[in-house]
Amino acid sequence: MRGHVRKRVHPKKNGDDSVLYYAVVEMPRINGKRRSDWGRGFRRKKDAETALNEKLAQLGAGQLVQRSNLSVADCLRAWLDAVDGTVKPTTRSSYQKSVDLYIVPHIGAQKLQELRSVDIQNLSKRLLISGGRRKSKRSSGEADEGVPLAAKTVRNHLGVLGSALKYAVGMGWIPSNPMTSVKKPSARRTKEMTVWGADEVAAFLSATESHPLSVLFRLALYTGARRGELLGLRWGDVDLGRGRLAIRQNLVLVDGVPT
């Protein structure tokens, strides 16, 4: 990014001309569009050159941003475009859902440069209290109501927002990340995880012996493989003679489509 001093002649009502010098700095692009920060004009070229050096130093330190009407939603969309191809399709899909369902509806219309830590803190509280979606009750004439989200889920959504804001800082759209001062909800596990005992496993296998997916159930129990790993198995991954199988791929749903 470069800067330069630009001379401009401004005609006056009395017919005279006023000559001013501007310290013009090329700012990071937004959605591919060029942006320049001009600031105020100076009567002396030397003063404009001094201002240019100061502005370039501020820009290098991430302290200079040009005023814009870029919204939080605009920032999130730009960040999603930037991460395309850099994360797994399932991860990209989860990011999109966080953006569309839990972030944009609440703060998407807010100007990015006016977003403060307190706004994000309020978003966190709102998601904890009524951030989830409940099935429609239109048949009963009642309005839809939100349901509380788990603390870990809220942390995940805030993580998405934080990554987008970090990207905005790197692009020079905001001077600092307001997420750094936000206190995220604690996601500590409150209940100890319980697993089936031998008797429960035997009862399950007996009850599902005639089920069409009984072999899949047994593989899951005997190998500990995850659902996507089991569904991704091919005949070439299975050696019946030696009683072995190899996990080489993972089948998952991305926006309802197996991939």
Side-chain angles (χ1 to χ4, degrees):
M1 290 170 284
R2 297 176 297 178
H4 58 276
V5 172
R6 179 71 62 85
K7 175 182 176 181
R8 275 192 171 180
V9 178
H10 301 276
K12 293 183 177 181
K13 291 183 179 180
N14 61 7
D16 295 334
D17 291 333
S18 173
V19 178
L20 293 177
Y21 297 90
Y22 295 86
V24 183
V25 174
E26 298 299 322
M27 303 294 290
R29 294 173 180 253
I30 293 182
N31 297 330
K33 297 181 180 179
R34 289 186 60 186
R35 302 181 303 136
S36 299
D37 180 86
W38 284 65
R40 71 182 185 90
F42 297 87
R43 294 190 180 278
R44 297 194 308 168
K45 184 178 180 180
K46 184 177 181 180
D47 293 335
E49 291 173 342
T50 301
L52 176 62
N53 291 331
E54 292 175 352
K55 291 171 70 173
L56 288 174
Q58 291 175 343
L59 184 63
Q63 299 171 347
L64 178 67
V65 295
Q66 187 182 40
R67 293 292 300 174
S68 78
N69 292 322
L70 197 71
S71 69
V72 174
D74 293 331
C75 169
L76 288 163
R77 283 192 289 267
W79 172 72
L80 285 172
D81 289 341
V83 300
D84 266 338
T86 66
V87 296
K88 295 179 180 179
T90 49
T91 302
R92 173 60 172 77
S93 178
S94 70
Y95 289 166
Q96 187 73 59
K97 289 178 181 177
S98 287
V99 169
D100 292 343
L101 300 180
Y102 302 101
I103 304 176
V104 168
H106 296 295
I107 62 172
Q110 188 166 348
K111 288 185 178 181
L112 177 63
Q113 293 181 345
E114 296 179 359
L115 184 68
R116 300 292 180 263
S117 299
V118 65
D119 301 317
I120 304 174
Q121 198 71 67
N122 289 335
L123 170 65
S124 176
K125 293 178 182 178
R126 196 175 306 144
L127 294 178
L128 284 170
I129 296 173
S130 59
R133 296 185 303 164
R134 181 173 289 164
K135 292 183 178 179
S136 177
K137 297 182 178 180
R138 292 177 183 174
S139 59
S140 63
E142 298 181 33
D144 292 350
E145 297 178 11
V147 294
L149 291 179
K152 185 178 185 304
T153 303
V154 174
R155 288 179 65 91
N156 291 341
H157 296 322
L158 294 181
V160 169
L161 177 59
S163 295
L165 294 175
K166 182 178 180 180
Y167 173 77
V169 173
M171 295 300 292
W173 299 341
I174 53 177
S176 60
N177 189 342
M179 180 64 74
T180 57
S181 301
V182 174
K183 182 175 177 58
K184 298 179 182 179
S186 174
R188 295 178 181 175
R189 187 180 298 276
T190 56
K191 295 183 179 179
E192 184 177 352
M193 183 180 294
T194 59
V195 297
W196 284 353
D199 293 340
E200 292 168 309
V201 170
F204 174 78
L205 293 177
S206 176
T208 59
E209 188 173 3
S210 59
H211 194 279
L213 298 178
S214 60
V215 174
L216 183 68
F217 296 154
R218 281 162 171 72
L219 277 176
L221 288 169
Y222 294 154
T223 66
R226 292 175 288 187
R227 179 182 61 179
E229 295 171 339
L230 294 173
L231 295 177
L233 286 173
R234 297 162 296 189
W235 281 115
D237 303 324
V238 180
D239 187 340
L240 295 177
R242 301 174 66 183
R244 295 182 178 180
L245 59 83
I247 302 295
R248 296 192 174 95
Q249 64 179 6
N250 190 40
L251 181 65
V252 295
L253 288 177
V254 177
D255 298 328
V257 179
T259 181

